[in-house]
Amino acid sequence: MTMHRMIGALALGAILAGAGTAAAQEPGQGPGMRDEARQEIMEQLYPIGLVKAHKDELKLTDEQVDKLRKLVRDARAEVGQLMLDVQKESEKLVDLLRAGASKEQVYAQLDRIFPIENKIKKKHLGLLICVRDVLTTEQRKALDMFKRSDADRGWPGRGHGRMGPPPGGFGQAPGGPGGPPGPPPGPGPGPGQDLDDSF
């Protein structure tokens, strides 16, 4: 690996991990977002994975299932495209770094990446709000209990109790520079959680 390649890979990982991987984690999470604040956000919301894990106990109606499926499909398509956009712009950033671009040029490219990441975070949070709104008050109360019982049994949501990052973290899309190898381009897993629409 040449020195320019190494610098480019390290810089992308460090810069984007600092600003994007934080979001990688939960909606609205960015530099300065406290763990406590993220936890408080999640206490008010219900990831799709949690709803699916307890679908029998919740007694979801056919209408609710149809609405949830549509929400997930729409989010998967929208976020999948946004992740591809992040990957494309991240590759441009690496090219700039390899070419010895100035700080101003690098900052300008970052200004193209971060707004896309913010859109992903908004889509992510918006999905969870919409999921919440599909559920009845009784179903929400039941899910609150399930979240507590899962955590007590050592299963912090079994992956569904929080909103984790997309593979590789925001700004490091699967298959992109600084990120892990990924599947062929196409709408993939969306906002960092299970976006399988099967119920």
Side-chain angles (χ1 to χ4, degrees), residues 16-136:
L16 295 186
T21 330
Q25 296 136 15
E26 331 252 330
Q29 178 182 358
M33 173 67 78
R34 297 175 295 107
D35 288 341
E36 294 85 352
R38 294 194 297 272
Q39 183 60 37
E40 289 171 4
I41 290 173
M42 285 312 303
E43 286 177 359
Q44 311 304 319
L45 300 170
Y46 310 99
I48 283 289
L50 176 67
V51 177
K52 288 174 60 177
H54 297 285
K55 61 182 180 181
D56 293 335
E57 298 99 315
L58 294 174
K59 295 182 172 58
L60 297 172
T61 66
D62 290 343
E63 181 180 5
Q64 286 179 309
V65 169
D66 287 343
K67 288 181 178 180
L68 291 171
R69 283 176 176 163
K70 185 178 188 306
L71 287 171
V72 172
R73 288 170 183 164
D74 290 348
R76 184 170 56 201
E78 293 173 1
V79 175
Q81 182 57 55
L82 289 171
M83 288 295 291
L84 291 177
D85 292 343
V86 168
Q87 178 176 329
K88 178 181 176 181
E89 296 300 330
S90 296
E91 289 169 351
K92 292 180 181 178
L93 176 60
V94 171
D95 289 341
L96 285 171
L97 292 167
R98 287 174 179 166
S102 67
K103 179 178 68 174
E104 289 72 20
Q105 290 173 308
V106 171
Y107 283 179
Q109 183 59 25
L110 286 175
D111 286 341
R112 295 186 181 94
I113 295 173
F114 293 157
I116 304 173
E117 292 184 338
N118 285 334
K119 288 182 181 179
I120 293 174
K121 288 185 282 184
K122 288 179 180 178
K123 293 292 183 184
H124 193 181
L125 180 57
L127 171 63
L128 297 190
I129 293 172
C130 290
V131 168
R132 179 202 64 189
D133 292 345
V134 167
L135 303 170
T136 66

